[in-house]
């Protein structure tokens, strides 16, 4: 059995969506608030899906205002459909941009897998797209 976070007294916690491409968890804002209440020194990072581009789900997601928002774009545009069926590279970029516009002081981060058949110029293009 895993100890409760209050027993561990972590300094940084990360919350991942249970359904990577499902609707936003309506309880997420409450979870972030509960962590902050129990352990005010703990930074809260949320690792989120693209919510299939659904604005309503994104609104719920953005209401949580974590200390760090993490959304992995995973791969370059050419390989995106194969790596993340049912998702969209554009949705991912839109999510990161919308969150940054709404919460400019909250750091955002993303991940990119390498070794799926991408070319160096594609990797550099994706990285430069993220670095804005």
């Amino acid at each position: 059995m895993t100890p409760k976070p209050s027993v561990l007294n972590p300094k940084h916690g990360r919350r991942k969506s249970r359904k990577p491409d499902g609707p936003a968890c309506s309880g997420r804002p409450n979870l972030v608030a509960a962590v902050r209440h129990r352990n005010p020194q703990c930074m809260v990072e949320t690792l989120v899906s693209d919510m299939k581009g659904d604005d309503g789900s994104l609104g719920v997601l953005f209401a949580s205002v974590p200390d760090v928002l993490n959304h992995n774009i995973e791969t370059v545009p050419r390989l995106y459909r194969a790596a993340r069926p049912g998702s969209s590279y554009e949705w991912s970029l839109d999510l990161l941009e919308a969150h940054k516009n709404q919460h400019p002081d909250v750091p955002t981060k993303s991940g990119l897998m390498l070794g799926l058949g991408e070319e160096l110029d594609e990797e550099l293009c994706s990285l430069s797209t993220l670095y804005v």
Side-chain angles (χ1 to χ4, degrees), residues 71-85 87-90 92-93 96 110-119 121-130:
H71 174 70
N72 295 326
I73 62 166
E74 307 296 6
T75 190
V76 299
R78 178 176 59 84
L79 301 172
Y80 204 84
R81 293 275 183 207
R84 301 225 30 233
S87 292
S88 161
Y89 188 82
E90 291 74 28
S92 290
L93 293 179
L96 292 166
S110 188
L112 185 65
M113 293 186 292
L114 300 178
L116 300 176
E118 67 284 333
E119 299 293 328
D121 62 326
E122 293 175 305
E123 296 167 9
L124 294 174
C125 183
S126 289
L127 290 173
S128 68
T129 301
L130 288 171

PDB file of all heavy atoms in Angstrom, residues 71-85 87-90 92-93 96 110-119 121-130:
ATOM      1  N   HIS A  71       2.319  19.031 -20.651  1.00  0.00           N
ATOM      2  CA  HIS A  71       1.600  18.320 -21.711  1.00  0.00           C
ATOM      3  C   HIS A  71       2.630  17.899 -22.749  1.00  0.00           C
ATOM      4  O   HIS A  71       3.301  18.743 -23.345  1.00  0.00           O
ATOM      5  CB  HIS A  71       0.524  19.182 -22.365  1.00  0.00           C
ATOM      6  CG  HIS A  71      -0.098  18.507 -23.544  1.00  0.00           C
ATOM      7  ND1 HIS A  71      -0.928  17.404 -23.398  1.00  0.00           N
ATOM      8  CD2 HIS A  71       0.026  18.729 -24.867  1.00  0.00           C
ATOM      9  CE1 HIS A  71      -1.293  16.998 -24.608  1.00  0.00           C
ATOM     10  NE2 HIS A  71      -0.731  17.780 -25.505  1.00  0.00           N
ATOM     11  N   ASN A  72       2.766  16.606 -22.958  1.00  0.00           N
ATOM     12  CA  ASN A  72       3.757  16.087 -23.894  1.00  0.00           C
ATOM     13  C   ASN A  72       3.202  16.068 -25.311  1.00  0.00           C
ATOM     14  O   ASN A  72       2.144  15.501 -25.559  1.00  0.00           O
ATOM     15  CB  ASN A  72       4.180  14.676 -23.483  1.00  0.00           C
ATOM     16  CG  ASN A  72       4.896  14.679 -22.160  1.00  0.00           C
ATOM     17  OD1 ASN A  72       5.611  15.614 -21.832  1.00  0.00           O
ATOM     18  ND2 ASN A  72       4.686  13.643 -21.373  1.00  0.00           N
ATOM     19  N   ILE A  73       3.935  16.701 -26.235  1.00  0.00           N
ATOM     20  CA  ILE A  73       3.507  16.633 -27.633  1.00  0.00           C
ATOM     21  C   ILE A  73       3.928  15.313 -28.268  1.00  0.00           C
ATOM     22  O   ILE A  73       3.425  14.952 -29.308  1.00  0.00           O
ATOM     23  CB  ILE A  73       3.994  17.831 -28.473  1.00  0.00           C
ATOM     24  CG1 ILE A  73       5.512  17.898 -28.540  1.00  0.00           C
ATOM     25  CG2 ILE A  73       3.406  19.127 -27.976  1.00  0.00           C
ATOM     26  CD1 ILE A  73       6.011  18.842 -29.612  1.00  0.00           C
ATOM     27  N   GLU A  74       4.844  14.620 -27.643  1.00  0.00           N
ATOM     28  CA  GLU A  74       5.273  13.259 -27.992  1.00  0.00           C
ATOM     29  C   GLU A  74       6.160  13.155 -29.217  1.00  0.00           C
ATOM     30  O   GLU A  74       7.200  12.549 -29.164  1.00  0.00           O
ATOM     31  CB  GLU A  74       4.086  12.290 -28.155  1.00  0.00           C
ATOM     32  CG  GLU A  74       3.139  12.247 -26.993  1.00  0.00           C
ATOM     33  CD  GLU A  74       3.719  11.738 -25.679  1.00  0.00           C
ATOM     34  OE1 GLU A  74       4.922  11.496 -25.568  1.00  0.00           O
ATOM     35  OE2 GLU A  74       2.931  11.601 -24.743  1.00  0.00           O
ATOM     36  N   THR A  75       5.753  13.725 -30.357  1.00  0.00           N
ATOM     37  CA  THR A  75       6.535  13.531 -31.577  1.00  0.00           C
ATOM     38  C   THR A  75       6.314  14.683 -32.548  1.00  0.00           C
ATOM     39  O   THR A  75       5.598  15.637 -32.240  1.00  0.00           O
ATOM     40  CB  THR A  75       6.192  12.168 -32.230  1.00  0.00           C
ATOM     41  OG1 THR A  75       7.132  11.904 -33.275  1.00  0.00           O
ATOM     42  CG2 THR A  75       4.779  12.132 -32.772  1.00  0.00           C
ATOM     43  N   VAL A  76       6.917  14.583 -33.697  1.00  0.00           N
ATOM     44  CA  VAL A  76       6.825  15.629 -34.727  1.00  0.00           C
ATOM     45  C   VAL A  76       5.493  15.518 -35.470  1.00  0.00           C
ATOM     46  O   VAL A  76       4.856  14.456 -35.470  1.00  0.00           O
ATOM     47  CB  VAL A  76       8.017  15.521 -35.701  1.00  0.00           C
ATOM     48  CG1 VAL A  76       9.343  15.704 -34.953  1.00  0.00           C
ATOM     49  CG2 VAL A  76       8.007  14.203 -36.451  1.00  0.00           C
ATOM     50  N   PRO A  77       5.050  16.604 -36.118  1.00  0.00           N
ATOM     51  CA  PRO A  77       3.739  16.583 -36.782  1.00  0.00           C
ATOM     52  C   PRO A  77       3.539  15.426 -37.765  1.00  0.00           C
ATOM     53  O   PRO A  77       2.472  14.811 -37.799  1.00  0.00           O
ATOM     54  CB  PRO A  77       3.683  17.929 -37.511  1.00  0.00           C
ATOM     55  CG  PRO A  77       4.575  18.824 -36.727  1.00  0.00           C
ATOM     56  CD  PRO A  77       5.674  17.924 -36.205  1.00  0.00           C
ATOM     57  N   ARG A  78       4.543  15.092 -38.537  1.00  0.00           N
ATOM     58  CA  ARG A  78       4.405  14.041 -39.554  1.00  0.00           C
ATOM     59  C   ARG A  78       4.073  12.687 -38.939  1.00  0.00           C
ATOM     60  O   ARG A  78       3.348  11.884 -39.527  1.00  0.00           O
ATOM     61  CB  ARG A  78       5.709  13.941 -40.369  1.00  0.00           C
ATOM     62  CG  ARG A  78       5.716  12.852 -41.427  1.00  0.00           C
ATOM     63  CD  ARG A  78       6.992  12.868 -42.257  1.00  0.00           C
ATOM     64  NE  ARG A  78       8.201  12.687 -41.481  1.00  0.00           N
ATOM     65  CZ  ARG A  78       8.693  11.509 -41.110  1.00  0.00           C
ATOM     66  NH1 ARG A  78       8.076  10.384 -41.423  1.00  0.00           N
ATOM     67  NH2 ARG A  78       9.826  11.443 -40.422  1.00  0.00           N
ATOM     68  N   LEU A  79       4.538  12.420 -37.735  1.00  0.00           N
ATOM     69  CA  LEU A  79       4.343  11.122 -37.090  1.00  0.00           C
ATOM     70  C   LEU A  79       3.273  11.139 -36.007  1.00  0.00           C
ATOM     71  O   LEU A  79       3.015  10.118 -35.368  1.00  0.00           O
ATOM     72  CB  LEU A  79       5.674  10.658 -36.483  1.00  0.00           C
ATOM     73  CG  LEU A  79       6.832  10.518 -37.476  1.00  0.00           C
ATOM     74  CD1 LEU A  79       8.135  10.260 -36.743  1.00  0.00           C
ATOM     75  CD2 LEU A  79       6.535   9.416 -38.470  1.00  0.00           C
ATOM     76  N   TYR A  80       2.642  12.278 -35.812  1.00  0.00           N
ATOM     77  CA  TYR A  80       1.752  12.443 -34.678  1.00  0.00           C
ATOM     78  C   TYR A  80       0.562  11.485 -34.691  1.00  0.00           C
ATOM     79  O   TYR A  80       0.248  10.867 -33.688  1.00  0.00           O
ATOM     80  CB  TYR A  80       1.259  13.890 -34.593  1.00  0.00           C
ATOM     81  CG  TYR A  80       0.833  14.261 -33.207  1.00  0.00           C
ATOM     82  CD1 TYR A  80       1.763  14.680 -32.272  1.00  0.00           C
ATOM     83  CD2 TYR A  80      -0.489  14.181 -32.813  1.00  0.00           C
ATOM     84  CE1 TYR A  80       1.392  15.013 -30.980  1.00  0.00           C
ATOM     85  CE2 TYR A  80      -0.873  14.514 -31.525  1.00  0.00           C
ATOM     86  CZ  TYR A  80       0.076  14.930 -30.618  1.00  0.00           C
ATOM     87  OH  TYR A  80      -0.288  15.243 -29.346  1.00  0.00           O
ATOM     88  N   ARG A  81      -0.111  11.368 -35.808  1.00  0.00           N
ATOM     89  CA  ARG A  81      -1.298  10.495 -35.880  1.00  0.00           C
ATOM     90  C   ARG A  81      -0.950   9.043 -35.558  1.00  0.00           C
ATOM     91  O   ARG A  81      -1.738   8.343 -34.923  1.00  0.00           O
ATOM     92  CB  ARG A  81      -1.948  10.580 -37.253  1.00  0.00           C
ATOM     93  CG  ARG A  81      -2.565  11.910 -37.554  1.00  0.00           C
ATOM     94  CD  ARG A  81      -3.957  11.985 -37.002  1.00  0.00           C
ATOM     95  NE  ARG A  81      -4.541  13.262 -37.382  1.00  0.00           N
ATOM     96  CZ  ARG A  81      -5.464  13.865 -36.707  1.00  0.00           C
ATOM     97  NH1 ARG A  81      -5.954  13.309 -35.632  1.00  0.00           N
ATOM     98  NH2 ARG A  81      -5.931  15.016 -37.083  1.00  0.00           N
ATOM     99  N   ALA A  82       0.218   8.594 -35.979  1.00  0.00           N
ATOM    100  CA  ALA A  82       0.623   7.218 -35.693  1.00  0.00           C
ATOM    101  C   ALA A  82       0.968   7.043 -34.208  1.00  0.00           C
ATOM    102  O   ALA A  82       0.643   6.020 -33.605  1.00  0.00           O
ATOM    103  CB  ALA A  82       1.817   6.824 -36.557  1.00  0.00           C
ATOM    104  N   ALA A  83       1.605   8.037 -33.618  1.00  0.00           N
ATOM    105  CA  ALA A  83       2.034   7.937 -32.218  1.00  0.00           C
ATOM    106  C   ALA A  83       0.882   8.193 -31.243  1.00  0.00           C
ATOM    107  O   ALA A  83       0.837   7.603 -30.166  1.00  0.00           O
ATOM    108  CB  ALA A  83       3.165   8.931 -31.939  1.00  0.00           C
ATOM    109  N   ARG A  84      -0.042   9.068 -31.626  1.00  0.00           N
ATOM    110  CA  ARG A  84      -1.164   9.422 -30.746  1.00  0.00           C
ATOM    111  C   ARG A  84      -2.465   9.414 -31.539  1.00  0.00           C
ATOM    112  O   ARG A  84      -3.035  10.458 -31.835  1.00  0.00           O
ATOM    113  CB  ARG A  84      -0.944  10.813 -30.140  1.00  0.00           C
ATOM    114  CG  ARG A  84       0.331  10.894 -29.352  1.00  0.00           C
ATOM    115  CD  ARG A  84       0.305  11.559 -28.016  1.00  0.00           C
ATOM    116  NE  ARG A  84      -0.902  11.498 -27.269  1.00  0.00           N
ATOM    117  CZ  ARG A  84      -1.524  12.574 -26.775  1.00  0.00           C
ATOM    118  NH1 ARG A  84      -1.050  13.772 -26.983  1.00  0.00           N
ATOM    119  NH2 ARG A  84      -2.609  12.437 -26.061  1.00  0.00           N
ATOM    120  N   PRO A  85      -2.946   8.218 -31.902  1.00  0.00           N
ATOM    121  CA  PRO A  85      -4.197   8.140 -32.664  1.00  0.00           C
ATOM    122  C   PRO A  85      -5.344   8.832 -31.918  1.00  0.00           C
ATOM    123  O   PRO A  85      -5.462   8.717 -30.706  1.00  0.00           O
ATOM    124  CB  PRO A  85      -4.471   6.635 -32.769  1.00  0.00           C
ATOM    125  CG  PRO A  85      -3.183   5.966 -32.449  1.00  0.00           C
ATOM    126  CD  PRO A  85      -2.413   6.901 -31.564  1.00  0.00           C
ATOM    127  N   SER A  87      -5.648  11.995 -31.550  1.00  0.00           N
ATOM    128  CA  SER A  87      -5.214  13.295 -31.044  1.00  0.00           C
ATOM    129  C   SER A  87      -4.698  14.133 -32.196  1.00  0.00           C
ATOM    130  O   SER A  87      -4.612  13.675 -33.320  1.00  0.00           O
ATOM    131  CB  SER A  87      -4.118  13.120 -29.991  1.00  0.00           C
ATOM    132  OG  SER A  87      -4.649  12.528 -28.836  1.00  0.00           O
ATOM    133  N   SER A  88      -4.333  15.344 -31.877  1.00  0.00           N
ATOM    134  CA  SER A  88      -3.894  16.281 -32.910  1.00  0.00           C
ATOM    135  C   SER A  88      -2.709  17.095 -32.396  1.00  0.00           C
ATOM    136  O   SER A  88      -2.749  17.609 -31.269  1.00  0.00           O
ATOM    137  CB  SER A  88      -5.064  17.202 -33.269  1.00  0.00           C
ATOM    138  OG  SER A  88      -4.634  18.372 -33.902  1.00  0.00           O
ATOM    139  N   TYR A  89      -1.698  17.213 -33.209  1.00  0.00           N
ATOM    140  CA  TYR A  89      -0.534  18.038 -32.872  1.00  0.00           C
ATOM    141  C   TYR A  89      -0.980  19.473 -32.604  1.00  0.00           C
ATOM    142  O   TYR A  89      -0.521  20.111 -31.667  1.00  0.00           O
ATOM    143  CB  TYR A  89       0.466  17.987 -34.030  1.00  0.00           C
ATOM    144  CG  TYR A  89       1.798  18.633 -33.755  1.00  0.00           C
ATOM    145  CD1 TYR A  89       2.793  17.943 -33.071  1.00  0.00           C
ATOM    146  CD2 TYR A  89       2.091  19.919 -34.209  1.00  0.00           C
ATOM    147  CE1 TYR A  89       4.028  18.518 -32.833  1.00  0.00           C
ATOM    148  CE2 TYR A  89       3.314  20.507 -33.980  1.00  0.00           C
ATOM    149  CZ  TYR A  89       4.288  19.801 -33.285  1.00  0.00           C
ATOM    150  OH  TYR A  89       5.509  20.374 -33.050  1.00  0.00           O
ATOM    151  N   GLU A  90      -1.915  19.952 -33.426  1.00  0.00           N
ATOM    152  CA  GLU A  90      -2.414  21.316 -33.275  1.00  0.00           C
ATOM    153  C   GLU A  90      -3.144  21.493 -31.939  1.00  0.00           C
ATOM    154  O   GLU A  90      -3.017  22.531 -31.296  1.00  0.00           O
ATOM    155  CB  GLU A  90      -3.330  21.696 -34.445  1.00  0.00           C
ATOM    156  CG  GLU A  90      -2.601  21.849 -35.770  1.00  0.00           C
ATOM    157  CD  GLU A  90      -2.184  20.510 -36.402  1.00  0.00           C
ATOM    158  OE1 GLU A  90      -2.851  19.482 -36.150  1.00  0.00           O
ATOM    159  OE2 GLU A  90      -1.175  20.502 -37.122  1.00  0.00           O
ATOM    160  N   SER A  92      -2.514  19.958 -29.229  1.00  0.00           N
ATOM    161  CA  SER A  92      -1.483  20.021 -28.199  1.00  0.00           C
ATOM    162  C   SER A  92      -0.857  21.402 -28.124  1.00  0.00           C
ATOM    163  O   SER A  92      -0.698  21.970 -27.041  1.00  0.00           O
ATOM    164  CB  SER A  92      -0.405  18.966 -28.460  1.00  0.00           C
ATOM    165  OG  SER A  92      -0.923  17.680 -28.228  1.00  0.00           O
ATOM    166  N   LEU A  93      -0.507  21.954 -29.272  1.00  0.00           N
ATOM    167  CA  LEU A  93       0.079  23.292 -29.285  1.00  0.00           C
ATOM    168  C   LEU A  93      -0.930  24.324 -28.795  1.00  0.00           C
ATOM    169  O   LEU A  93      -0.579  25.243 -28.040  1.00  0.00           O
ATOM    170  CB  LEU A  93       0.578  23.649 -30.685  1.00  0.00           C
ATOM    171  CG  LEU A  93       1.767  22.842 -31.201  1.00  0.00           C
ATOM    172  CD1 LEU A  93       2.136  23.298 -32.599  1.00  0.00           C
ATOM    173  CD2 LEU A  93       2.961  22.931 -30.263  1.00  0.00           C
ATOM    174  N   LEU A  96      -1.178  24.214 -24.932  1.00  0.00           N
ATOM    175  CA  LEU A  96      -0.042  24.860 -24.279  1.00  0.00           C
ATOM    176  C   LEU A  96      -0.116  26.378 -24.419  1.00  0.00           C
ATOM    177  O   LEU A  96       0.117  27.116 -23.455  1.00  0.00           O
ATOM    178  CB  LEU A  96       1.271  24.325 -24.859  1.00  0.00           C
ATOM    179  CG  LEU A  96       1.583  22.866 -24.530  1.00  0.00           C
ATOM    180  CD1 LEU A  96       2.713  22.352 -25.417  1.00  0.00           C
ATOM    181  CD2 LEU A  96       1.913  22.688 -23.056  1.00  0.00           C
ATOM    182  N   SER A 110       6.872  20.383 -21.836  1.00  0.00           N
ATOM    183  CA  SER A 110       6.411  19.355 -22.744  1.00  0.00           C
ATOM    184  C   SER A 110       7.531  18.364 -22.992  1.00  0.00           C
ATOM    185  O   SER A 110       8.691  18.650 -22.717  1.00  0.00           O
ATOM    186  CB  SER A 110       5.961  19.989 -24.067  1.00  0.00           C
ATOM    187  OG  SER A 110       5.349  19.024 -24.891  1.00  0.00           O
ATOM    188  N   GLY A 111       7.152  17.199 -23.500  1.00  0.00           N
ATOM    189  CA  GLY A 111       8.134  16.172 -23.811  1.00  0.00           C
ATOM    190  C   GLY A 111       8.016  15.745 -25.260  1.00  0.00           C
ATOM    191  O   GLY A 111       6.950  15.838 -25.872  1.00  0.00           O
ATOM    192  N   LEU A 112       9.115  15.281 -25.788  1.00  0.00           N
ATOM    193  CA  LEU A 112       9.191  14.848 -27.178  1.00  0.00           C
ATOM    194  C   LEU A 112       9.973  13.542 -27.214  1.00  0.00           C
ATOM    195  O   LEU A 112      11.107  13.483 -26.755  1.00  0.00           O
ATOM    196  CB  LEU A 112       9.908  15.928 -27.999  1.00  0.00           C
ATOM    197  CG  LEU A 112      10.020  15.792 -29.482  1.00  0.00           C
ATOM    198  CD1 LEU A 112       8.649  15.865 -30.141  1.00  0.00           C
ATOM    199  CD2 LEU A 112      10.906  16.889 -30.053  1.00  0.00           C
ATOM    200  N   MET A 113       9.315  12.473 -27.699  1.00  0.00           N
ATOM    201  CA  MET A 113      10.018  11.193 -27.839  1.00  0.00           C
ATOM    202  C   MET A 113      10.873  11.232 -29.100  1.00  0.00           C
ATOM    203  O   MET A 113      10.452  11.789 -30.112  1.00  0.00           O
ATOM    204  CB  MET A 113       9.013  10.036 -27.986  1.00  0.00           C
ATOM    205  CG  MET A 113       8.201   9.761 -26.772  1.00  0.00           C
ATOM    206  SD  MET A 113       7.169   8.293 -26.953  1.00  0.00           S
ATOM    207  CE  MET A 113       5.984   8.824 -28.182  1.00  0.00           C
ATOM    208  N   LEU A 114      12.019  10.633 -29.040  1.00  0.00           N
ATOM    209  CA  LEU A 114      12.877  10.539 -30.217  1.00  0.00           C
ATOM    210  C   LEU A 114      13.071   9.071 -30.566  1.00  0.00           C
ATOM    211  O   LEU A 114      12.990   8.202 -29.716  1.00  0.00           O
ATOM    212  CB  LEU A 114      14.230  11.198 -29.943  1.00  0.00           C
ATOM    213  CG  LEU A 114      14.183  12.677 -29.586  1.00  0.00           C
ATOM    214  CD1 LEU A 114      15.585  13.189 -29.291  1.00  0.00           C
ATOM    215  CD2 LEU A 114      13.535  13.485 -30.689  1.00  0.00           C
ATOM    216  N   GLY A 115      13.296   8.804 -31.852  1.00  0.00           N
ATOM    217  CA  GLY A 115      13.531   7.440 -32.289  1.00  0.00           C
ATOM    218  C   GLY A 115      12.319   6.803 -32.944  1.00  0.00           C
ATOM    219  O   GLY A 115      12.252   5.585 -33.079  1.00  0.00           O
ATOM    220  N   LEU A 116      11.364   7.611 -33.350  1.00  0.00           N
ATOM    221  CA  LEU A 116      10.163   7.089 -34.010  1.00  0.00           C
ATOM    222  C   LEU A 116      10.235   7.224 -35.525  1.00  0.00           C
ATOM    223  O   LEU A 116       9.268   6.921 -36.208  1.00  0.00           O
ATOM    224  CB  LEU A 116       8.911   7.822 -33.489  1.00  0.00           C
ATOM    225  CG  LEU A 116       8.644   7.708 -31.990  1.00  0.00           C
ATOM    226  CD1 LEU A 116       7.441   8.548 -31.607  1.00  0.00           C
ATOM    227  CD2 LEU A 116       8.434   6.258 -31.598  1.00  0.00           C
ATOM    228  N   GLY A 117      11.369   7.710 -36.020  1.00  0.00           N
ATOM    229  CA  GLY A 117      11.533   7.876 -37.460  1.00  0.00           C
ATOM    230  C   GLY A 117      11.587   9.321 -37.905  1.00  0.00           C
ATOM    231  O   GLY A 117      11.585   9.612 -39.099  1.00  0.00           O
ATOM    232  N   GLU A 118      11.660  10.225 -36.934  1.00  0.00           N
ATOM    233  CA  GLU A 118      11.712  11.647 -37.277  1.00  0.00           C
ATOM    234  C   GLU A 118      13.101  12.029 -37.780  1.00  0.00           C
ATOM    235  O   GLU A 118      14.090  11.351 -37.494  1.00  0.00           O
ATOM    236  CB  GLU A 118      11.326  12.508 -36.070  1.00  0.00           C
ATOM    237  CG  GLU A 118      12.312  12.459 -34.919  1.00  0.00           C
ATOM    238  CD  GLU A 118      12.229  11.182 -34.086  1.00  0.00           C
ATOM    239  OE1 GLU A 118      11.172  10.547 -34.018  1.00  0.00           O
ATOM    240  OE2 GLU A 118      13.269  10.814 -33.507  1.00  0.00           O
ATOM    241  N   GLU A 119      13.149  13.096 -38.519  1.00  0.00           N
ATOM    242  CA  GLU A 119      14.416  13.644 -39.028  1.00  0.00           C
ATOM    243  C   GLU A 119      14.854  14.786 -38.104  1.00  0.00           C
ATOM    244  O   GLU A 119      14.033  15.396 -37.416  1.00  0.00           O
ATOM    245  CB  GLU A 119      14.233  14.172 -40.453  1.00  0.00           C
ATOM    246  CG  GLU A 119      13.801  13.111 -41.460  1.00  0.00           C
ATOM    247  CD  GLU A 119      14.867  12.052 -41.711  1.00  0.00           C
ATOM    248  OE1 GLU A 119      16.069  12.390 -41.631  1.00  0.00           O
ATOM    249  OE2 GLU A 119      14.492  10.909 -41.988  1.00  0.00           O
ATOM    250  N   ASP A 121      15.783  17.821 -38.734  1.00  0.00           N
ATOM    251  CA  ASP A 121      15.143  19.114 -38.996  1.00  0.00           C
ATOM    252  C   ASP A 121      13.717  19.159 -38.426  1.00  0.00           C
ATOM    253  O   ASP A 121      13.256  20.196 -37.963  1.00  0.00           O
ATOM    254  CB  ASP A 121      15.153  19.453 -40.480  1.00  0.00           C
ATOM    255  CG  ASP A 121      14.382  18.465 -41.344  1.00  0.00           C
ATOM    256  OD1 ASP A 121      14.372  17.258 -41.023  1.00  0.00           O
ATOM    257  OD2 ASP A 121      13.791  18.901 -42.356  1.00  0.00           O
ATOM    258  N   GLU A 122      13.006  18.023 -38.416  1.00  0.00           N
ATOM    259  CA  GLU A 122      11.666  17.964 -37.826  1.00  0.00           C
ATOM    260  C   GLU A 122      11.743  18.137 -36.308  1.00  0.00           C
ATOM    261  O   GLU A 122      10.907  18.819 -35.709  1.00  0.00           O
ATOM    262  CB  GLU A 122      10.988  16.630 -38.142  1.00  0.00           C
ATOM    263  CG  GLU A 122      10.654  16.431 -39.605  1.00  0.00           C
ATOM    264  CD  GLU A 122      10.094  15.050 -39.868  1.00  0.00           C
ATOM    265  OE1 GLU A 122      10.773  14.047 -39.512  1.00  0.00           O
ATOM    266  OE2 GLU A 122       8.994  14.971 -40.435  1.00  0.00           O
ATOM    267  N   GLU A 123      12.732  17.508 -35.684  1.00  0.00           N
ATOM    268  CA  GLU A 123      12.914  17.637 -34.240  1.00  0.00           C
ATOM    269  C   GLU A 123      13.184  19.093 -33.866  1.00  0.00           C
ATOM    270  O   GLU A 123      12.573  19.627 -32.936  1.00  0.00           O
ATOM    271  CB  GLU A 123      14.089  16.781 -33.767  1.00  0.00           C
ATOM    272  CG  GLU A 123      13.904  15.299 -33.943  1.00  0.00           C
ATOM    273  CD  GLU A 123      15.198  14.523 -33.762  1.00  0.00           C
ATOM    274  OE1 GLU A 123      16.218  15.123 -33.334  1.00  0.00           O
ATOM    275  OE2 GLU A 123      15.199  13.315 -34.043  1.00  0.00           O
ATOM    276  N   LEU A 124      14.088  19.707 -34.607  1.00  0.00           N
ATOM    277  CA  LEU A 124      14.440  21.099 -34.326  1.00  0.00           C
ATOM    278  C   LEU A 124      13.246  22.026 -34.527  1.00  0.00           C
ATOM    279  O   LEU A 124      13.032  22.966 -33.750  1.00  0.00           O
ATOM    280  CB  LEU A 124      15.626  21.528 -35.192  1.00  0.00           C
ATOM    281  CG  LEU A 124      16.942  20.809 -34.897  1.00  0.00           C
ATOM    282  CD1 LEU A 124      18.008  21.206 -35.903  1.00  0.00           C
ATOM    283  CD2 LEU A 124      17.407  21.071 -33.474  1.00  0.00           C
ATOM    284  N   CYS A 125      12.456  21.762 -35.552  1.00  0.00           N
ATOM    285  CA  CYS A 125      11.264  22.563 -35.813  1.00  0.00           C
ATOM    286  C   CYS A 125      10.268  22.424 -34.655  1.00  0.00           C
ATOM    287  O   CYS A 125       9.708  23.420 -34.184  1.00  0.00           O
ATOM    288  CB  CYS A 125      10.636  22.155 -37.134  1.00  0.00           C
ATOM    289  SG  CYS A 125       9.209  23.158 -37.568  1.00  0.00           S
ATOM    290  N   SER A 126      10.040  21.199 -34.183  1.00  0.00           N
ATOM    291  CA  SER A 126       9.120  20.987 -33.067  1.00  0.00           C
ATOM    292  C   SER A 126       9.625  21.661 -31.801  1.00  0.00           C
ATOM    293  O   SER A 126       8.848  22.305 -31.076  1.00  0.00           O
ATOM    294  CB  SER A 126       8.907  19.497 -32.803  1.00  0.00           C
ATOM    295  OG  SER A 126       8.146  18.922 -33.826  1.00  0.00           O
ATOM    296  N   LEU A 127      10.902  21.539 -31.534  1.00  0.00           N
ATOM    297  CA  LEU A 127      11.470  22.181 -30.348  1.00  0.00           C
ATOM    298  C   LEU A 127      11.370  23.710 -30.434  1.00  0.00           C
ATOM    299  O   LEU A 127      11.030  24.372 -29.456  1.00  0.00           O
ATOM    300  CB  LEU A 127      12.931  21.751 -30.146  1.00  0.00           C
ATOM    301  CG  LEU A 127      13.118  20.316 -29.720  1.00  0.00           C
ATOM    302  CD1 LEU A 127      14.603  19.953 -29.724  1.00  0.00           C
ATOM    303  CD2 LEU A 127      12.512  20.049 -28.346  1.00  0.00           C
ATOM    304  N   SER A 128      11.611  24.258 -31.631  1.00  0.00           N
ATOM    305  CA  SER A 128      11.517  25.721 -31.767  1.00  0.00           C
ATOM    306  C   SER A 128      10.062  26.178 -31.650  1.00  0.00           C
ATOM    307  O   SER A 128       9.796  27.276 -31.155  1.00  0.00           O
ATOM    308  CB  SER A 128      12.128  26.186 -33.084  1.00  0.00           C
ATOM    309  OG  SER A 128      11.359  25.745 -34.181  1.00  0.00           O
ATOM    310  N   THR A 129       9.120  25.347 -32.059  1.00  0.00           N
ATOM    311  CA  THR A 129       7.702  25.677 -31.916  1.00  0.00           C
ATOM    312  C   THR A 129       7.332  25.744 -30.437  1.00  0.00           C
ATOM    313  O   THR A 129       6.539  26.593 -30.025  1.00  0.00           O
ATOM    314  CB  THR A 129       6.823  24.636 -32.628  1.00  0.00           C
ATOM    315  OG1 THR A 129       7.175  24.607 -34.011  1.00  0.00           O
ATOM    316  CG2 THR A 129       5.353  24.954 -32.491  1.00  0.00           C
ATOM    317  N   LEU A 130       7.891  24.841 -29.646  1.00  0.00           N
ATOM    318  CA  LEU A 130       7.602  24.825 -28.214  1.00  0.00           C
ATOM    319  C   LEU A 130       8.286  25.965 -27.475  1.00  0.00           C
ATOM    320  O   LEU A 130       7.784  26.453 -26.462  1.00  0.00           O
ATOM    321  CB  LEU A 130       8.064  23.512 -27.592  1.00  0.00           C
ATOM    322  CG  LEU A 130       7.238  22.281 -27.943  1.00  0.00           C
ATOM    323  CD1 LEU A 130       7.936  21.023 -27.429  1.00  0.00           C
ATOM    324  CD2 LEU A 130       5.839  22.395 -27.360  1.00  0.00           C
TER     325      LEU A 130
END
